[in-house]
Amino acid sequence: MIRNYFKTALRSLLKNKVFTFINILGLALGLAICLLITFYVIDELSYDRYNTKYERIYRVNTDLKFSGTLTQYAITAIPVANVLKAECPEVETAVRITPALNIRFKKGDEIVREDGATFYSEPNIFDVFTLPLLLGDAKTALKEPNTVVIAESMAKKYFDRTDVVGQTLFLVTSGTSLKITGVMKDMPVQSHFRANFLLAASQVNNDAPWNRLTAFATYVLLKPNTNISRLEAKLNTEMQEGLKGSSSMDYSKFKKGGNYFKLSLMPVTDIHLKSNRVMELGANGNGQYVYIFAAVAVFILLLACINFMNLSTARSANRAREVGVRKVLGSSRSHLIFQFLAESLIVTFVAAIIAVLAAWALLPLFNHLSNKQLAINGQTLIWLFPALLSIVMVVGILAGSYPAFFLSAFQPINVLKGKVSTGFKGGAFRSTLVVFQFSISIFLVIGTLVIYNQLNYIQNKDLGFNRNQVLILDNVNTLEHPELLKQEIKKLPGVVNATLTSFLPTANNKVLNYVSPGGKEGQSTQFWKIDEDYISTMGMQMKAGRGFSGEFRTDSTAMVINETAAKVFGYDNDAIGKTITTGTVTNQKKYHVIGVIKDFNFSSLRDNVTPLVMTLDNDWLARLSVRINTHNLPTLMSHIEKTWKTIAPNEHFDYSFMDADFDALYRTEQRMGELFITFTGLAIVIACLGLFGLAAYAAEQRNREIGIRKVLGASITVIVTMLSKDFVKLVIISFAIAAPLAWLTMNKWLQGFAYRQNIQWWVMMLAGSGAVFIALVTISLQSFRAAAANPVESLRDGD
């Protein structure tokens, strides 16, 4: 019997090839997109779960409110780790990690830059994180100074083998040789920080004050069943006591001003998607995107299912006689239900096979768009096949249930008398599904336009500096005479100015220093070391005072601060000449403010501008930034490289452009925007497929009516309008439903940006008019074809 159901179903599907093709194409497209998004979501949710003890690993975060400004840090003060280990029995151990900046290793005669994947760490990092050593002893690997553990891929890169324990790596930055004491497996991609090199941290001053934040991230491994809230309360109590006993600040005065320090614990598995704090160890993702794409996957699958249900019920008139004859010949309703469900399952099964093949073929393109390394491998297949089988059953039964129960409920006597409602009218449920379908599509269109508008705003916002036509030369700190290079390059035609510093608005600036504005409570602040050409080269503007100059010897103890720092320090209008102290009580240095620079964005536009101070110093000469003004860039680049080779013939010439580095800060948003646009386009295609099919069947079922109207003199325009108006009304209703929901959702997304473009009225109008236009074009293709047909044929062939 079951075999007969499927045999009959297959025959019926082949008989209606256009209907079958549209259904299979819509479902396959929907399932393929759903699979790709599922791969992406699973990958994003799996971050840091490679650690065997991930459920007990937490990072300690710091919230600092000072002068009304709240700054959230992913770092802590030095004493936190010791208090966790010594005073909290719930803690097994705690470890401190900090990024190693401006790292250059020597590989033969070549100097290789390894920023972003090199960290200083305490020896017990292997007790917290699962970092298996292929060679070496994890208990002793980082106990000695000037030792390093390297990743397996780095061992092959520098030595062409993995058995390199005992070998040395020359660290150009500090001029020291590091002894390799361990080779670890490459860290998984799904980690919120990825270390290719772990350097032994130098002896940490555990007596450092509680109110001084350093670049150390503190991780803690808790014992099972620890009460997190209680531990946080205990930790904050310890911090309050430490702040009260601090000799470098008046804590009671600090607290009375509405200021505070607060520590909190964040699960390591939450960091990638839920943390966007200052001083993160790596570039994190965004949980909002994961939830958005998961919803998009569900919506697109629903669109495909709705197409199937709509097209099946729209064909009711075509199959009404079949149902009536079958019932007259003795078929029960249950047999008819099984018959239609069999058709649905066949379509879904074929669509699923095509979807898997399409997802596999599109995976490289999807990886390129999303910057992922997803692959369909043995581990994927373990869950893919059961999940796919479940989807086939659920989608097949869900998509086929309404048509099955709807068609099987026809009464034979009414069917054979021709009393079955046909056409688009009379299908209230079908109309509801069309509204739901286009509401989703319009929602996605509005979301896409808002994302595009925000990205465009980011690209064109005045950031307080000019990022265009700035060439950045790396590895300058390896040169014996960097100042000579700067002066020689400034002489080249087409070069406007040049500056030596590591601190750039588009760089990953993570240097803090403790700053005390004369007699007031201090705080950890961005502390940049620049030269006298920096401000003019970057195209920044002074609000008050002046920048640094080689003509003033006193500028060696001068300081330029930004507007936010002036406000936080209480120097809104009279900062010039004020004294600011840096360092500890035993190692202080006093500076006098000579200028206030207009605020410029040196972090993501998701964050507010934070206090920044700049001093005249050449200790951090890792980059030479060159402002150029030329229409013959290749020639100028050739001259710059020639100058480099003349001064440093053995050093690698490595460069980038500041506008490209700026774009990299928002690469995640750009990729998400591209994906969103792609998925929205495909969702519209799926919706239009269904609308195309519905219009075709509506025209077919009103074939005789169209013929009569044409004979009576109706024009093609009148007939097209008649066939289209009902669909257009539904699209307009869809817009009325989708627009406010999209506005609320996207407005919440925009709240994640400190600097954002409000949702424009034209976004809504463009989405609404676009949806109506697309629907009208889709419907008109079929309507025009029906209206242009010979009425004699329709009247002759009509029922």
Side-chain angles (χ1 to χ4, degrees), residues 31-46 190 297 355-356 359-360 363 366 374-392:
L31 283 170
I33 297 169
C34 189
L35 281 175
L36 290 173
I37 296 178
T38 300
F39 293 151
Y40 170 84
V41 170
I42 290 176
D43 182 80
E44 286 288 287
L45 294 176
S46 66
Q190 296 83 7
V356 171
W360 175 75
L363 201 54
F366 183 77
L374 305 175
I376 300 178
N377 48 37
Q379 188 175 359
T380 308
L381 294 176
I382 292 175
W383 64 263
L384 180 59
F385 281 119
L388 207 58
L389 184 61
S390 300
I391 290 174
V392 168

Side-chain angles (χ1 to χ4, degrees), residues 199-347:
L199 281 62
S202 57
Q203 189 64 36
V204 179
N205 178 18
N206 291 316
D207 295 326
W210 278 86
N211 60 331
R212 177 179 298 169
L213 295 178
T214 65
F216 279 99
T218 302
Y219 294 87
V220 58
L221 178 64
L222 303 179
K223 293 178 180 178
N225 303 317
T226 295
N227 187 313
I228 303 300
S229 299
R230 188 180 303 167
L231 178 59
E232 285 179 337
K234 183 187 298 184
L235 192 56
N236 278 291
T237 299
E238 291 287 343
M239 183 182 63
Q240 302 295 325
E241 294 299 320
L243 290 170
K244 289 177 183 177
S246 173
S247 60
S248 60
M249 73 176 295
D250 186 341
Y251 177 68
S252 59
K253 183 179 177 182
F254 176 83
K255 192 173 180 180
K256 284 180 182 178
N259 308 310
Y260 63 78
F261 280 93
K262 183 179 179 182
L263 300 177
S264 60
L265 297 175
M266 172 174 276
V268 70
T269 51
D270 285 353
I271 293 174
H272 176 65
L273 293 179
K274 298 181 181 180
S275 183
N276 183 35
R277 292 173 168 262
V278 177
M279 309 286 281
E280 294 282 354
L281 291 186
N284 289 334
N286 190 320
Q288 285 185 335
Y289 293 132
V290 174
Y291 302 136
I292 288 172
F293 284 135
V296 168
V298 173
F299 286 158
I300 287 178
L301 195 57
L302 282 174
L303 289 178
C305 291
I306 289 169
N307 273 357
F308 185 85
M309 298 172 74
N310 268 338
L311 292 175
S312 297
T313 53
R315 291 181 65 243
S316 59
N318 299 58
R319 306 197 65 180
R321 287 182 179 276
E322 175 190 343
V323 172
V325 171
R326 282 177 176 271
K327 282 195 170 185
V328 168
L329 295 177
S331 290
S332 64
R333 187 183 180 191
S334 61
H335 287 173
L336 291 172
I337 290 173
F338 281 124
Q339 176 68 57
F340 291 121
L341 287 178
E343 289 184 19
S344 177
L345 288 171
I346 289 175
V347 169

Side-chain angles (χ1 to χ4, degrees), residues 543-554:
K543 181 182 180 183
R546 63 175 178 85
F548 297 113
S549 172
E551 298 178 1
F552 297 91
R553 292 185 178 181
T554 55

Side-chain angles (χ1 to χ4, degrees), residues 97-100 116-121 193-200 281-282:
I97 308 170
T98 187
T118 306
F119 296 86
Y120 287 104
S121 172
F193 75 96
R194 293 196 68 201
N196 288 331
F197 301 88
L198 289 174
L199 281 62
L281 291 186

Side-chain angles (χ1 to χ4, degrees), residues 461-466 538-541 597-601:
K461 183 184 182 296
D462 181 8
L463 301 172
F465 66 95
N466 186 358
M538 293 297 142
M540 297 173 179
Q541 301 295 320
I597 196 168
K598 289 185 177 180
D599 277 344
F600 60 92
N601 291 92

Side-chain angles (χ1 to χ4, degrees), residues 602-674:
F602 52 86
S603 185
S604 167
L605 289 180
R606 290 183 174 277
D607 307 320
N608 287 303
V609 175
T610 57
L612 164 70
V613 301
M614 295 185 285
T615 61
L616 189 63
D617 200 321
N618 290 334
D619 285 348
W620 290 76
L621 305 181
R623 292 186 176 99
L624 174 65
S625 299
V626 185
R627 177 163 294 282
I628 58 179
N629 183 15
T630 178
H631 297 292
N632 193 353
L633 184 60
T635 300
L636 177 58
M637 290 301 301
S638 176
H639 290 160
I640 291 175
E641 184 173 7
K642 184 178 179 180
T643 304
W644 175 281
K645 291 298 183 182
T646 301
I647 295 174
N650 297 322
E651 302 295 340
H652 182 63
F653 181 68
D654 192 12
Y655 67 90
S656 63
F657 286 92
M658 184 173 282
D659 54 355
D661 293 343
F662 172 81
D663 291 341
L665 291 173
Y666 304 96
R667 197 161 288 156
T668 299
E669 280 78 13
Q670 290 167 351
R671 290 193 183 104
M672 295 307 102
E674 290 172 358

